[in-house]
Amino acid sequence: MKLILFDLDGTLTESHPGIINSVQYALGKLGIEEKEPERLVAFVGPPLRQSFQKFYGLSEAEADQAVTFYREYFRERGMYENRVYAGVPELLAGLTRSGRRLAVATSKPTLFAEKILAHFQLDQYFAAIVGSHLDGSRVNKGEVIRDALGLFAVERDQVLMVGDREHDVIGARENGIKVIAVTYGYGSVAELTAARPDFLAASVTELRQLLL
């Protein structure tokens, strides 16, 4: 493979503490109390607006307000309540040395993805960082992958997506590229198996073995 696209949350970084805290902050501002914060792990990966509507029955306007509140916390603290999975920097360095081109394709806004990757000094490995727009557009993973692919002159059969949720697998299929689903992130084995990725990796070590 000449080009490898990586999801961010649950693939490169373990980001749920900051996301959960940001969701709780947003819900609190809306007068909603969530007594089981572990349920909020489901917010990791899918577009935020959709998750607020799905899990709390919010209207479109309410969901937009929830996203605004979420970002208040996330900008200041949430994005840094995060850590890089062990072995990821070494994996990215090895892939770069082998001549592969790397890019990030995430449903997280590009601005936040860039700040997070720079904070952890991972941005040096990526030729492009493509995410959603702050206005709520380009949140569908298929759209993100499509626009990332448009930045590179490479055949689809020479591209691979790596992600941890069914949205990554579905988005890769929509764009005609192969996909590795990692089960150490936030998607369950059942979810990922049902989406039918080309390969499964249970750890960063297994991912490294597949890629290198």
Side-chain angles (χ1 to χ4, degrees):
M1 296 296 168
K2 293 184 177 180
L3 172 65
I4 302 173
L5 306 179
F6 285 89
D7 176 48
L8 179 55
D9 297 334
T11 302
L12 299 177
T13 68
E14 187 175 21
S15 57
H16 70 274
I19 291 174
I20 287 175
N21 290 339
S22 300
V23 173
Q24 283 188 305
Y25 174 86
L27 292 174
K29 296 276 279 190
L30 292 172
I32 300 171
E33 182 182 4
E34 176 53 72
K35 296 181 179 180
E36 300 179 41
E38 63 274 9
R39 294 180 60 227
L40 302 181
V41 172
F43 275 76
V44 184
L48 277 175
R49 183 177 290 100
Q50 294 177 16
S51 293
F52 278 117
Q53 290 179 288
K54 176 181 178 181
F55 297 117
Y56 292 94
L58 302 186
S59 66
E60 288 189 11
E62 290 170 334
D64 286 340
Q65 184 62 70
V67 171
T68 298
F69 289 145
Y70 173 98
R71 288 175 178 167
E72 287 180 4
Y73 184 95
F74 193 79
R75 286 176 190 273
E76 298 300 319
R77 297 178 58 184
M79 75 171 76
Y80 305 117
E81 295 170 337
N82 193 354
R83 73 177 183 89
V84 178
Y85 285 113
V88 162
E90 293 80 5
L91 169 63
L92 298 177
L95 289 170
T96 301
R97 286 195 299 271
S98 74
R100 323 294 174 82
R101 300 198 77 188
L102 310 181
V104 168
T106 174
S107 292
K108 185 182 294 300
T110 303
L111 175 66
F112 295 152
E114 290 173 341
K115 287 181 178 294
I116 291 166
L117 291 164
H119 176 73
F120 290 116
Q121 300 181 330
L122 297 181
D123 55 328
Q124 61 184 302
Y125 299 113
F126 296 105
I129 299 168
V130 182
S132 61
H133 299 304
L134 288 172
D135 65 5
S137 60
R138 199 170 70 182
V139 296
N140 179 276
K141 201 54 173 278
E143 295 175 333
V144 175
I145 293 172
R146 178 201 65 201
D147 287 358
L149 291 173
L151 300 176
F152 300 90
V154 61
E155 298 297 327
R156 298 294 173 95
D157 62 358
Q158 297 175 332
V159 184
L160 179 72
M161 177 72 199
V162 182
D164 71 310
R165 297 300 304 269
E166 63 180 355
H167 310 83
D168 299 303
V169 180
I170 294 168
R173 292 279 183 248
E174 290 174 354
N175 286 279
I177 63 175
K178 293 186 182 302
V179 56
I180 296 176
V182 298
T183 61
Y184 58 78
Y186 297 107
S188 68
V189 173
E191 172 190 319
L192 294 171
T193 301
R196 301 182 66 183
D198 295 287
F199 305 96
L200 286 171
S203 65
V204 175
T205 298
E206 286 191 15
L207 180 60
R208 181 184 180 89
Q209 291 170 345
L210 284 170
L211 295 176
L212 289 169

